Amino acid sequence: MIEFRPLAESDLPLLRDWLGRAHVARWWRDPVDELLDECRAAIEGRDPSDHYLIVAGGRPVGIVQMYLAAEYPEWEEEIGGLGPGAAGVDLLIGQPEDVGRGLGARVLAEFVHAVVFADARVSAAVATVEEANRRSWRAFEKAGFRHVRDVFEDGLPHRLMRLER
């Protein structure tokens, strides 16, 4: 069973640990303190994104976040516009033993249907996945997302993945 619990301040030490692990740090390159400050701002309601702790089989295994693309116009412009009602989704599996077992695809599929599409403002879920992160974009594909075009984000090639409501 997979559950999504709103991220809490008490979860941030665990997130710090995950962000320091090689399999995460390879793709989440922003400074750890900056990422934690962003999460703290969301927890406190100072940032419009929603962060969730992923709990699988009763244990925390990662985080997933959702945000309306329109609330981040610089990001939306950087990747070429997404149209009204697009919600961005980002995923981090923190435990190395959980990587490569299909958990990411299951989390994405359940999260999009239980959380993202529960928001009436959302017409599509989107993600930009680094081209080199084949494992991640395959998880998005297995969850029903399709590759709609190539984009550049932070100067690197990414796949824009999209799943319509």
Side-chain angles (χ1 to χ4, degrees):
M1 178 173 181
I2 298 173
E3 301 171 77
F4 306 104
R5 183 176 53 76
L7 194 67
E9 181 78 27
S10 61
D11 298 319
L12 296 182
L14 178 59
L15 179 55
R16 176 182 291 280
D17 176 55
W18 288 338
L19 289 166
R21 294 182 182 207
H23 76 283
V24 174
R26 180 176 180 195
W27 308 110
W28 291 67
R29 296 185 200 94
D30 291 336
V32 171
D33 287 333
E34 184 179 305
L35 290 166
L36 293 173
D37 286 345
E38 289 174 12
C39 288
R40 190 171 290 110
I43 291 166
E44 295 170 355
R46 297 180 288 115
D47 180 278
S49 59
D50 295 319
H51 299 248
Y52 297 86
L53 186 72
I54 304 163
V55 180
R59 67 183 178 84
V61 297
I63 63 162
V64 62
Q65 65 180 4
M66 171 194 142
Y67 45 91
L68 294 176
E71 302 213 359
Y72 297 91
E74 290 175 5
W75 174 73
E76 191 175 14
E77 183 178 326
E78 180 181 12
I79 62 169
L82 300 168
V89 175
D90 296 304
L91 171 70
L92 175 159
I93 301 294
Q95 302 295 354
E97 63 272 15
D98 292 324
V99 174
R101 298 173 163 242
L103 179 63
R106 288 194 318 272
V107 165
L108 288 166
E110 289 189 34
F111 183 72
V112 166
H113 293 289
V115 178
V116 178
F117 290 156
D119 185 327
R121 301 171 296 174
V122 176
S123 60
V126 298
T128 52
V129 182
E130 209 169 306
E131 179 67 37
N133 193 348
R134 180 177 172 82
R135 182 173 277 161
S136 182
W137 54 260
R138 288 291 298 139
F140 277 92
E141 286 179 338
K142 289 176 184 175
F145 286 73
R146 64 181 180 79
H147 173 218
V148 293
R149 69 176 183 269
D150 295 329
V151 297
F152 276 86
E153 185 176 5
D154 299 327
L156 296 169
H158 284 66
R159 288 176 163 241
L160 175 61
M161 310 296 290
R162 187 177 183 104
L163 177 62
E164 299 297 330
R165 179 186 286 278

